[in-house]
Amino acid sequence: MDFLIQLFEGFKTIAPSIPYIINGVWVSLGIALGASLIGFVGGILLSLCKIGRVRVLSGLARAYTSIFRGTPLILQLAIAYFGIPQLFKMGDVSPLACAILTFGLNSAAYMSEIIRSGINAVDKGQFEAAKALGVSYWPAMKDIILPQAIKNILPAMMNEFITLTKDSAIVSTISVTDMMRRSQIVAANYYLYFPPMLVSFVMYYIIVLILTFVGGRIERRMRRSD
Amino acid sequence: MIKAEHIYKNFGSNHVLKDVSLEVKKGEVVVIIGPSGSGKSTFLRCINLLEVPTKGRVEIDDQDLTKLKPKQVVKVREKVGMVFQHFYLFPHKTVLDNLIYAPMKVKGLSKDQAVARARNLLEKVGLSEKEDQYPSRLSGGQQQRVAIARSLAMEPDYMLFDEPTSALDPEMVKEVLDVIQSLAETGMTMIIVTHEMGFAKSVANKVVFMDDGQILESASPSDFFASPETDRAKNFLEKIL
């Protein structure tokens, strides 16, 4: 039972720093939100390139996806924060901006595959019906196909957002003070590891539960037209 | 006038249409019948270039569609409404939004104009009270009537019907055929692919019998149904009547 007492004492010791850790959640969520916006827009553009008839664009989009999915995110992050600024003599870059951009570009690769499958799942007749009404390709895509596609892939996109939120913990490696990083800082200050890590652990899990719940609600609302 | 001349269509090595020609004058109602896989639907889809013919010309009002750029083809399609076997209503839009979308987007109608036109058409197909519903809440027959109204909202000069009642439960066939019939009575130029022989007989000015990618007969409905000339047409009629 010794360890329980030790744990309790540990929490008492770090108590003043607990709000500091918890507030890191906004950094984590901010990164996930910013990245998923970039990922969503980028994913749509990439998926349109992939299904389009312009060979060069679809080739480039495929290569992009392949590279971003084929290398570790933590390495992409390191290249973006340490490698590229040094190579191009950019001086100090904002770690947060770097994190959001890298996560966004990475997420775009995954998102484009999700969106592409969503577009392909929409009945081909929808396009034909729009065509037969004299609607041209882009308006039909924007107003008829994409809304249906996005509705179909909403659960998958919510999953992507949850993944981003959790994976954002690796931005701690480029000194962004997210929840993970804050736990490490507190741990180092007090030389106490378990309590601050547990705070983060529980917080991440709560956030994921909330996001899952919100996702379910949105999904149900979108099903109104079914 | 719609004029299709020597249309060929291949899907790979599969020759679906072999030299099909047809002329439809203003105000005419042409019904195309024939066994499944005879190329009826493909031919219909060639007329508004949903399928691009491998060879041959399609003329609408003396404009050769096969020579037009894609942008111009889109323009011509405004004149040609099409109704599909599976309706293809936009499921994420309400009935009213289905009807006003293309007129606003393509013809540049104001919302008020489009809504007025849509309500008028919904009344004609007997679905005024459904304007706020989503398509999934409607029966097949109702969906198809909305689809017809949606086509008419573009005020087309021609209408193409691709087996409009084939996906319907039997008790819903009549309500859709009645709408098409009354449309015919307004003088709309139409090409209808159907398996409803009674309907063909009553609505058509001309019946075209297709088999194996070719037009085998083209006659007035009374002549065709009373005394088909080819054995294949006789055979077909015997099987289904």
Side-chain angles (χ1 to χ4, degrees), chain A residues 31-216:
Chain A
I31 292 169
L33 199 66
S36 59
L37 284 178
I38 296 173
F40 182 63
V41 175
I44 286 183
L45 293 178
L46 285 170
S47 64
L48 291 178
C49 288
K50 282 183 199 170
I51 61 167
R53 277 158 295 187
V54 186
R55 284 264 173 82
V56 183
L57 287 181
S58 79
L60 286 174
R62 266 168 237 283
Y64 178 98
T65 306
S66 170
I67 290 169
F68 270 92
R69 293 207 303 183
T71 53
L73 180 53
I74 192 168
L75 183 56
Q76 292 167 13
L77 200 62
I79 289 175
Y81 183 65
F82 300 114
I84 290 175
Q86 190 183 47
L87 188 62
F88 294 98
K89 303 194 171 51
M90 290 157 72
D92 281 342
V93 293
S94 149
L96 187 65
C98 211
I100 291 175
L101 195 65
T102 308
F103 270 73
L105 295 179
N106 180 279
S107 176
Y110 287 91
M111 208 73 113
S112 73
E113 280 302 293
I114 297 174
I115 295 170
R116 191 180 62 92
S117 72
I119 290 173
N120 286 339
V122 175
D123 195 322
K124 257 186 72 196
Q126 290 290 319
F127 230 130
E128 295 191 338
K131 265 195 202 172
L133 287 165
V135 182
S136 37
Y137 183 85
W138 290 112
M141 183 53 94
K142 177 171 76 70
D143 301 327
I144 305 301
I145 307 301
L146 276 179
Q148 295 183 53
I150 287 167
K151 191 177 126 181
N152 291 339
I153 59 177
L154 214 62
M157 287 198 328
M158 202 61 202
N159 269 339
E160 174 66 16
F161 185 72
I162 290 172
T163 305
L164 271 174
T165 308
K166 287 185 296 173
D167 284 358
S168 73
I170 66 173
V171 300
S172 58
T173 61
I174 61 165
S175 77
V176 176
T177 45
D178 72 325
M179 206 152 50
M180 174 76 190
R181 179 80 187 157
R182 288 175 190 214
S183 296
Q184 289 171 332
I185 291 170
V186 172
N189 274 348
Y190 297 97
Y191 196 61
L192 262 176
Y193 282 92
F194 204 91
M197 295 299 166
L198 189 63
V199 171
S200 274
F201 190 91
V202 171
M203 275 307 288
Y204 273 115
Y205 188 55
I206 289 174
I207 292 299
V208 168
L209 286 182
I210 292 173
L211 290 176
T212 310
F213 175 76
V214 171

Side-chain angles (χ1 to χ4, degrees), chain B residues 137-149:
Chain B
R137 304 288 298 273
L138 305 181
S139 73
Q142 290 170 332
Q143 288 191 49
Q144 192 60 298
R145 284 188 280 154
V146 172
I148 293 171

Side-chain angles (χ1 to χ4, degrees), chain B residues 33-51:
Chain B
I33 60 173
S36 314
S38 57
K40 311 180 294 281
S41 289
T42 306
F43 178 58
L44 199 68
R45 292 160 56 82
C46 280
I47 288 172
N48 64 355
L49 254 57
L50 281 184
E51 301 290 356

